[in-house]
Amino acid sequence: MDAKVIKPEAEGRDDNALKIVGTSPVRPDGVPKVTGLARYGADFALPGMLWGAILRSPHAHARIRAIDTSKAGSLTGVKAVITSADFPEQKYEFVGPERVAINFWHMTRNVMAREKVLYEGHAVAAVAATSKAIAEAALRLIEVDYEPLPHVIDVDAAMQPDAPLLFEDMITRGVEPPPKNASNISKRTELNLGDVDAGFAAADEIVEMSFKTAPVHQGYIEPHACLARFDAKGQGEIWAASQGHFVVRAFTARLLNMNIGDVLVHPAEIGGGFGGKTVIYVEPLAAALSRKCGHPVKIMMSREDVFKSTGPTSGSSMTVKIGARKDGTLVAADGLFKFQAGAFPGSPVMNATMCGFAPYNIPNVRSVGYDVVCNRPKSAAYRAPGSPISAFAVESVMDALAAKLGMDPLKFRLMNACKTGTPTAWGPKHAHDGYAETVKALLAHPAYAAPLGKNQGRGFASGFWFNNGGESSATVHVNEDGTVVVATGSMDIGGSRASMAIMAAETLGIAYDDVRAIVADTASIGYTHVTGGSRVTFATGIAVVEACRKVIAELCARAAMIWKLEPGEVIWENGCARPADAAAGKLEPMPLKAIAAKRALTGGPIGAEASVNAGGAAPGFATELCDVEVDPETGGVKILRFIVAQDVGRAIHRSYVEGQMEGGAVQGIGWALNEEYIYDDAGRLLNAGFLDYRIPVASDLPMIETVLVEVPNPNHPYGAKGVGEVNIVPAMAAVANAINNAIGRRLTELPMSPPKVLAAIHSGQK
Amino acid sequence: MSKHHVTTTLNGNAVEFLCETQQTLLEVLRDELHHTGTKEGCATGDCGACSVTLDGRLVCSCLVLGVEAQGKSIQTIEGMAEGTSLHPLQRKFLEHAALQCGVCTPGILIAARALLERNPDPSEEEVRFWLAGNLCRCTGYNKIIDAVLDAAHEMRGG
């Protein structure tokens, strides 16, 4: 099915001048990935390599009285055994911006438990041995003396005053005066805009509802894996699949008390991340084992390990109240968002409080968040972290409010749509348009008014995501033959080498196939932040274009030298240097290849580096349409049609932009209908595998339809906005609103699995 | 515990290897024969990333023991292209941008080839059900389905 592209600002746009931006060439790393030659995290080996294995807690919550590794250590073939004693203590402090703050005291305890195990699957020891079988046998010889403790899984239960405490001295941050007693509530945050009480007093209609969502896993197909090699000089190398090899380097060096420069991280190809590979698990363990025995050590997680010990996103408990005047004008919104952080603080609840109401112009907003620890794996980022969760609540309430007002749900959203200048609950005003355009795109879509059959329903929902900029580095080198190598520090998780090559070729005015784009290791390029936050095409793209512009300046200078002109007398056009002024004489334009051929005579190799801290990322907006059919006998929900309308700024590689939208929508459909963590009474995960944790398969789905709305971002040379994340944000509410439309019952708990849908059908409540 | 000596054919080449009783074909391919194109996603037969064919039959190599390869013919992703000439499925996957991270791709290509050998003209629904045992978390499957249908069309002489 052909995707649509809508260009709301058609007048005055210079899209026709673009030759490569917006096309869909084959990715530079494509052939190795279809022939099995691309090397992912688990695909590296070194001579003398050992296999590492990790002993994990069978308890949801227990004190570690003692660990005896002596028998394991003396098993033939075992070369190293480590516990938390092999990692230095870290200072207890939150570092970095509050929204994404890191505490290394927590991080070192998450990669290897110290005083207590806090979830089933928590690592307690690791071994390295000459074979996988010996490593596994050694784990069985490690004796851990546990004192099992009461545990808590649910977020509302964890907030009760008598709940078992994960940290006996944790005082809630963000509350004045600070509470006297410890609790599982790590942090309270509150955003305020206007006067909420006065706003609700002025409302004609108010809807208030409560919601619960289950934790869901990112579900990348590649389990975490790495190979580490440390030598007698105390220097080390790591081959790892991650969303940021610089972050792997920084975190691993920190946990091992090493200089950052003594750790070199090679970027393996990454088999999916979706946020879950922006943190470390196996890397510091493999490194510590290798450091202890002097041999290379490889660790691969099993799928069960991935589910039990790596970050799902938070489950939640939420209450949202929104009020409007009779004419549909929103006047007030109040949200209470309680998020499971898992075993250590750091859920994305702040994002949730910020993003939930962000698509709308609401003069009075209060948004309160609680970050709550409980005996589950520590949550990790997952595609627009936090935003899809609060959007499920807010967009469900918006749908109910539209119905109460007797208004069309899309037109209700459009009349309240944010635009440039609309205040946000967290302070700054929106600086970009794009949201209203996504609503208009669906209003104009034939699917909007298409007829529905029996047991079928249609739902709409919208979403907001910040999109990030930040630190990125790129180098551009002109080769001897005039081809170009572009290197960046951004892991390529879904085609970014292609986007970088497109932007470089477009800027330099040369063919796409003359640009080779690679991902460089941590010693070969400047610091580059993670591939996450939908930041790479924007921020790393700016670095690439900036480096290309430096190269162009140098190419012009070289041409001027050859022509004996002043550097300012030469300009760059269509991949060639040419005199700026015809008065310079009759000189044929000099192509890049010709300048490269004469580089030795004009000063040597031609290349440039650009490192940026990119600001001006424009947020992502998406609005989605979902048609469902509900089976009244089973409660099963079939997705009949799903359309994503997303503001993409300007698509750089069109197919990969569509791919992000399609993939994000399907992850949202899985979150809506199937996916959840299921625990037994002892706090043990019952569905730690892809058979019972069911992500969408091909036969569950129709073709996802995409509408690329292009409202260019003036802060990027080609207008790019991040496109990776916002597409997941509206999806669960779009499905819920469609189910409500089909059966006349509103589901407020995720996942909307058949038993819940069936119960709703048979319930009296509407 | 002595190892087993296994004689087999891998992508048309005669191969011998030693393996432990409990080693799966997936482990043998990756760890003993250094064919790492076949991926481990779950090791429980649920994701299809380790799909190979054994005497032409599509299997999850994580559910087959290495010793079961004795006397059989194994086809993996490394044998799909003929020299530098890509199989039409491989080419169409690239043209349609049918991979994002690419880790499920080898298994899906092997499974799709097995489908087209049995049914050269599948419907969209038939492709979706045949590939339901191959998980992809990145793409939402659109472009994978498009690529398989387009490759089938081309292979029929379309």
Side-chain angles (χ1 to χ4, degrees):
Chain A
M1 196 160 305
D2 282 341
K4 287 185 167 41
V5 180
I6 294 178
K7 300 174 187 290
E9 298 178 347
E11 275 178 52
R13 286 169 60 121
D14 59 350
D15 286 19
N16 293 337
L18 297 173
K19 294 189 173 118
I20 309 172
V21 166
T23 64
S24 298
V26 169
R27 62 198 287 169
D29 52 322
V31 171
K33 285 181 176 160
V34 297
T35 52
L37 297 178
R39 294 208 291 172
Y40 292 79
D43 298 340
F44 292 84
L46 283 172
M49 185 181 85
L50 306 175
W51 289 92
I54 300 167
L55 184 68
R56 297 184 180 280
S57 167
H59 301 290
H61 193 192
R63 198 171 305 285
I64 300 172
R65 290 202 196 98
I67 304 178
D68 183 351
T69 63
S70 55
K71 283 182 194 157
S74 56
L75 183 69
T76 304
V78 171
K79 301 295 181 186
V81 185
I82 57 167
T83 65
S84 61
D86 292 274
F87 295 90
E89 181 56 294
Q90 299 287 332
K91 190 175 171 191
Y92 189 97
E93 64 175 346
F94 289 89
V95 294
E98 186 61 28
R99 195 158 66 83
V100 288
I102 288 167
N103 188 325
F104 288 102
W105 191 91
H106 291 141
M107 189 186 290
T108 196
R109 279 164 177 73
N110 193 37
V111 302
M112 193 64 95
R114 280 177 186 249
E115 302 83 5
K116 296 207 290 188
V117 289
L118 295 170
Y119 52 93
E120 185 211 11
H122 199 163
V124 290
V127 303
T130 51
S131 77
K132 275 184 194 171
I134 294 172
E136 295 291 335
L139 292 186
R140 292 191 287 274
L141 297 176
I142 296 175
E143 293 165 7
V144 185
D145 182 8
Y146 290 109
E147 177 195 345
L149 299 169
H151 70 279
V152 61
I153 293 288
D154 179 73
V155 62
D156 290 313
M159 290 175 76
Q160 296 301 313
D162 58 348
L165 293 180
L166 277 73
F167 303 97
E168 288 81 1
D169 55 356
M170 191 168 77
I171 300 296
T172 307
R173 295 185 297 144
V175 177
E176 287 302 332
K180 291 200 171 59
N181 296 325
S183 75
N184 290 320
I185 304 169
S186 160
K187 188 175 69 173
R188 181 185 186 278
T189 61
E190 179 170 341
L191 301 173
N192 277 290
L193 179 69
D195 181 338
V196 175
D197 294 334
F200 280 114
D204 296 313
E205 296 288 357
I206 295 172
V207 172
E208 177 174 352
M209 291 193 287
S210 294
F211 301 87
K212 281 211 144 186
T213 68
V216 295
H217 198 272
Q218 296 83 353
Y220 32 81
I221 305 301
E222 177 200 36
H224 298 257
C226 78
L227 169 63
R229 178 199 73 83
F230 276 62
D231 63 28
K233 280 189 74 179
Q235 297 187 328
E237 284 179 277
I238 298 173
W239 290 258
S242 80
Q243 287 175 250
H245 43 313
F246 287 88
V247 169
V248 169
R249 180 178 73 159
F251 289 175
T252 303
R254 173 72 181 247
L255 296 196
L256 296 179
N257 195 25
M258 295 176 66
N259 292 328
I260 282 179
D262 284 337
V263 182
L264 168 57
V265 182
H266 300 274
E269 297 298 339
I270 177 170
F274 314 107
K277 290 178 184 167
T278 57
V279 287
I280 55 169
Y281 300 101
V282 292
E283 295 86 352
L285 307 189
L289 286 165
S290 179
R291 187 167 70 168
K292 202 158 182 178
C293 68
H295 300 288
V297 176
K298 177 167 167 170
I299 298 182
M300 291 167 62
M301 274 197 193
S302 68
R303 177 55 53 183
E304 184 182 345
D305 292 345
V306 172
F307 276 113
K308 287 185 174 174
S309 63
T310 71
T313 192
S314 301
S316 73
S317 176
M318 308 178 280
T319 299
V320 166
K321 177 179 169 186
I322 305 179
R325 292 189 207 280
K326 276 198 199 88
D327 67 357
T329 309
L330 292 175
V331 288
D334 195 359
L336 173 62
F337 305 99
K338 297 177 280 186
F339 275 35
Q340 298 162 357
F344 297 94
S347 76
V349 73
M350 271 186 85
N351 292 345
T353 62
M354 295 160 83
C355 295
F357 302 114
Y360 305 111
N361 181 11
I362 313 176
N364 307 292
V365 177
R366 176 170 54 207
S367 199
V368 174
Y370 287 95
D371 184 52
V372 183
V373 295
C374 54
N375 296 109
R376 299 169 176 268
K378 182 190 180 330
S379 65
Y382 180 28
R383 209 166 198 151
S387 185
I389 302 172
S390 54
F392 170 59
V394 170
E395 293 297 306
S396 293
V397 171
M398 285 292 287
D399 196 62
L401 188 53
K404 211 168 175 185
L405 291 161
M407 291 185 70
D408 175 279
L410 278 185
K411 290 173 184 162
F412 176 48
R413 286 178 171 83
L414 185 59
M415 76 176 284
N416 290 291
C418 72
K419 56 179 195 285
T420 300
T422 303
T424 65
W426 65 93
K429 292 182 164 132
H430 279 287
H432 296 270
D433 293 334
Y435 172 51
E437 288 76 3
T438 68
V439 180
K440 288 178 195 163
L442 287 187
L443 279 167
H445 198 288
Y448 168 67
L452 289 165
K454 197 181 170 201
N455 298 321
Q456 296 180 354
R458 177 166 299 143
F460 302 93
S462 295
F464 165 89
W465 178 245
F466 307 101
N467 290 336
N468 287 352
E471 294 176 275
S472 282
S473 299
T475 62
V476 173
H477 289 284
V478 177
N479 300 318
E480 304 92 293
D481 62 357
T483 59
V484 166
V485 173
V486 173
T488 75
S490 287
M491 293 297 312
D492 182 349
I493 205 164
S496 62
R497 288 183 186 88
S499 306
M500 297 306 139
I502 286 173
M503 288 184 275
E506 186 79 55
T507 307
L508 293 167
I510 61 176
Y512 172 81
D513 288 336
D514 283 342
V515 180
R516 173 107 177 146
I518 67 151
V519 183
D521 66 52
T522 54
S524 306
I525 191 101
Y527 177 83
T528 300
H529 195 47
V530 295
T531 295
S534 296
R535 62 175 293 279
V536 170
T537 308
F538 175 73
T540 308
I542 289 174
V544 166
V545 171
E546 202 167 291
C548 286
R549 287 174 178 166
K550 288 184 186 175
V551 165
I552 287 170
E554 182 64 20
L555 290 164
C556 288
R558 301 293 180 98
M561 199 181 293
I562 294 163
W563 281 329
K564 299 193 184 346
L565 296 172
E566 292 300 313
E569 293 177 314
V570 175
I571 61 167
W572 193 256
E573 196 175 73
N574 296 325
C576 298
R578 72 167 181 79
D581 190 341
K586 204 176 173 211
L587 295 166
E588 287 296 312
M590 191 181 296
L592 193 155
K593 284 181 200 302
I595 301 170
K598 292 184 179 167
R599 74 196 178 280
L601 300 171
T602 56
I606 299 166
E609 176 166 7
S611 289
V612 301
N613 187 359
F621 293 104
T623 301
E624 296 177 348
L625 176 153
C626 175
D627 285 353
V628 299
E629 182 169 314
V630 180
D631 184 330
E633 289 183 13
T634 65
V637 174
K638 186 172 173 57
I639 304 291
L640 301 174
R641 186 164 198 179
F642 202 99
I643 307 175
V644 185
Q646 181 177 334
D647 172 22
V648 302
R650 189 182 273 116
I652 303 299
H653 187 294
R654 192 173 138 182
S655 289
Y656 284 117
V657 171
E658 293 165 7
Q660 289 295 320
M661 294 163 68
E662 292 155 3
V666 167
Q667 286 189 320
I669 289 169
W671 196 339
L673 296 178
N674 307 325
E675 297 178 33
E676 63 181 313
Y677 269 46
I678 301 169
Y679 285 89
D680 69 9
D681 291 342
R684 288 178 301 229
L685 185 62
L686 293 174
N687 61 333
F690 278 135
L691 188 62
D692 298 314
Y693 183 97
R694 195 175 181 289
I695 72 171
V697 303
S699 55
D700 293 338
L701 299 160
M703 285 291 187
I704 305 300
E705 299 167 59
T706 55
V707 182
L708 281 63
V709 180
E710 294 197 327
V711 183
N713 176 8
N715 303 321
H716 181 275
Y718 295 110
K721 293 178 182 171
V723 300
E725 294 170 287
V726 74
N727 33 63
I728 197 174
V729 176
M732 292 97 78
V735 176
N737 293 341
I739 293 172
N740 177 67
N741 187 237
I743 66 172
R745 301 284 189 280
R746 189 163 289 287
L747 278 91
T748 55
E749 209 171 292
L750 296 182
M752 297 175 284
S753 50
K756 287 188 198 147
V757 175
L758 206 54
I761 290 171
H762 293 302
S763 74
Q765 77 182 97
K766 284 221 169 184
Chain B
M1 176 174 67
S2 66
K3 290 185 174 182
H4 304 276
H5 177 243
V6 177
T7 304
T8 188
T9 305
L10 175 58
N11 298 325
N13 302 315
V15 166
E16 292 175 70
F17 60 84
L18 297 175
C19 72
E20 293 166 7
T21 308
Q22 79 282 2
Q23 271 184 302
T24 64
L25 178 58
L26 173 62
E27 289 176 303
V28 167
L29 286 170
R30 292 180 53 84
D31 301 338
E32 308 299 330
L33 300 174
H34 312 297
H35 279 51
T36 54
T38 304
K39 304 302 181 192
E40 177 181 317
C42 68
T44 50
D46 299 319
C47 79
C50 67
S51 298
V52 301
T53 60
L54 206 56
D55 279 352
R57 182 173 158 231
L58 181 64
V59 295
C60 287
S61 60
C62 71
L63 298 183
V64 176
L65 289 173
V67 291
E68 292 182 83
Q70 173 65 39
K72 296 219 166 60
S73 172
I74 311 162
Q75 288 280 339
T76 70
I77 187 65
E78 287 91 348
M80 195 159 177
E82 288 188 32
T84 57
S85 175
L86 295 179
H87 186 280
L89 278 163
Q90 293 172 310
R91 204 157 23 76
K92 291 299 178 188
F93 266 57
L94 293 178
E95 289 173 11
H96 285 267
L99 52 141
Q100 286 178 32
C101 83
V103 83
C104 71
T105 307
I108 292 186
L109 286 168
I110 291 290
R113 184 177 64 180
L115 167 66
L116 299 187
E117 281 167 5
R118 285 158 184 76
N119 180 358
D121 189 11
S123 66
E124 179 192 327
E125 190 175 17
E126 285 170 327
V127 177
R128 286 187 178 276
F129 275 87
W130 182 271
L131 293 180
N134 291 82
L135 301 180
C136 168
R137 189 63 156 171
C138 294
T139 64
Y141 303 102
N142 274 38
K143 296 184 190 311
I144 291 171
I145 307 298
D146 284 339
V148 173
L149 291 170
D150 193 13
H153 181 73
E154 182 184 295
M155 288 165 71
R156 290 194 307 274

